[in-house]
Amino acid sequence: MTTAPKRKHMGQRRQPAAAAESEMSRRRPDLRPQHFLGLKDSTLVATDTLLQIKDTVIDTVESQAMSVIYGDPGLGKSFSTRATIQEMNPDLILPLDFARSRPGPKDLREELFHQMRLNCKMPGTPTAFDKLLRESLPRRPYVIVCDEAQQYRRENFEFLRKLWDNCDPKPAIVFVGGREAYETLQSDPALASRIYIRLEILAMTEDEILKAVPDSHPVWRGVDEALLKRIDTQYALGSFREWVKVTKHVLKGMEYFQADQVDDRVVDWALGRC
């Protein structure tokens, strides 16, 4: 009687290094600041907002603290935060960005696991998961960036607070979001007492508009200040995002009227489309 030759046990085929790196790069979000509407020829301007946010992020990182940057939509909070962290080691930035609204602590745990590239099996229970994170976070000077924090449930803030409390050394945590995020943090004494810096971002003043807008895009250079003031008063109201919209429509208007410079006719046409 003959027996069939034993088949060699084939271990799980390893993923090629290049493929593994490609998969990991797909997991990590693009942290570069994105110009709204993909506006070409836009320039990063050192506005007061950018400088305040830069100081806040750097101070928070150096102090291994928790801080919140908050304000109305469209004022440059996320853009300026992303511009600031570009100067840091990208491997130490742990961005908690979610496509879905109202993420929960489970989403935060799993995202931290992936962003730290932990080489182990994902724990199956919250207790084991939190133990792993408490052991892993202190190994490097990580910076957790929570954008769109107004979407966070209270238990998310509690989860991050307890995680921060139980790490030594502690990660820096920067919350960026609308006023709802600030109000949630302030409503809980345990959370509020741990916030190192509270930075409220306000709309640009008229003086800031006259300095920042001409530097933000070539189309505004040399434009009469009275016209810039009119656009801001009638529509933009100090919001950089609204200024980007106007700029996009003004460029279209100049094509439409075959104009060489921005004038009242082009502005009226552009504002009519905003």
Side-chain angles (χ1 to χ4, degrees):
M1 184 173 91
T2 60
T3 58
K6 291 183 179 179
R7 298 178 66 180
K8 279 189 177 180
H9 174 69
M10 301 295 291
Q12 187 176 1
R13 185 175 296 176
R14 289 190 176 183
Q15 191 177 15
E21 287 182 11
S22 175
E23 176 65 22
M24 188 57 68
S25 65
R26 284 198 297 270
R27 287 208 65 91
R28 289 189 66 79
D30 186 353
L31 297 176
R32 293 172 296 179
Q34 303 294 324
H35 288 285
F36 184 57
L37 298 177
L39 186 62
K40 294 182 179 179
D41 300 321
S42 292
T43 302
L44 180 64
V45 181
T47 61
D48 287 345
T49 293
L50 175 61
L51 297 177
Q52 289 179 62
I53 288 177
K54 184 173 183 178
D55 287 345
T56 297
V57 172
I58 291 174
D59 195 356
T60 302
V61 171
E62 290 177 349
S63 303
Q64 297 174 320
M66 291 196 296
S67 294
V68 57
I69 300 168
Y70 68 100
D72 293 333
L75 301 183
K77 302 181 301 296
S78 297
F79 185 93
S80 298
T81 301
R82 285 171 175 255
T84 298
I85 63 178
Q86 287 304 297
E87 303 175 13
M88 301 178 181
N89 184 343
D91 292 330
L92 299 180
I93 306 298
L94 305 178
L96 298 184
D97 294 341
F98 302 95
R100 57 168 290 191
S101 62
R102 311 299 289 176
K106 179 177 182 291
D107 300 296
L108 272 63
R109 288 184 179 96
E110 292 180 358
E111 192 62 22
L112 284 170
F113 179 90
H114 292 303
Q115 294 302 333
M116 284 192 287
R117 306 173 184 178
L118 297 179
N119 190 23
C120 62
K121 184 179 179 181
M122 187 180 291
T125 65
T127 301
F129 217 142
D130 291 351
K131 182 176 183 293
L132 174 64
L133 294 176
R134 289 197 303 268
E135 292 171 349
S136 303
L137 278 168
R139 294 175 186 170
R140 303 177 74 188
Y142 286 114
V143 181
I144 301 174
V145 180
C146 305
D147 201 2
E148 301 295 340
Q150 73 275 3
Q151 295 284 349
Y152 281 19
R153 307 172 190 173
R154 180 184 292 274
E155 52 262 39
N156 289 4
F157 292 110
E158 276 292 330
F159 162 71
L160 289 168
R161 191 265 295 174
K162 291 177 181 176
L163 192 61
W164 184 83
D165 277 351
N166 290 284
C167 287
D168 186 20
K170 301 181 185 302
I173 303 180
V174 181
F175 297 108
V176 184
R179 296 181 185 278
E180 299 94 329
Y182 171 76
E183 290 167 359
T184 301
L185 288 166
Q186 284 299 106
S187 66
D188 187 316
L191 287 165
S193 66
R194 286 164 174 79
I195 297 300
Y196 175 52
I197 300 174
R198 296 166 175 81
L199 177 63
E200 181 180 8
I201 301 302
L202 302 174
M204 289 185 289
T205 65
E206 186 177 272
D207 288 342
E208 289 173 324
I209 292 293
L210 297 180
K211 287 191 295 184
V213 170
D215 289 338
S216 68
H217 196 280
V219 75
W220 298 115
R221 289 169 195 163
V223 172
D224 187 80
E225 289 188 352
L227 193 52
L228 296 178
K229 291 178 183 179
R230 179 163 81 87
I231 295 170
D232 196 61
T233 300
Q234 290 184 2
Y235 176 73
L237 302 175
S239 167
F240 229 125
R241 185 178 298 168
E242 301 302 335
W243 269 101
V244 172
K245 291 182 188 177
V246 175
T247 303
K248 190 89 169 180
H249 288 305
V250 160
L251 290 169
K252 294 285 186 182
M254 292 178 71
E255 291 180 9
Y256 180 79
F257 291 109
Q258 297 183 341
D260 296 326
Q261 61 184 10
V262 182
D263 56 22
D264 286 288
R265 178 182 57 170
V266 171
V267 166
D268 288 339
W269 186 88
L271 293 182
R273 292 164 60 91
C274 288

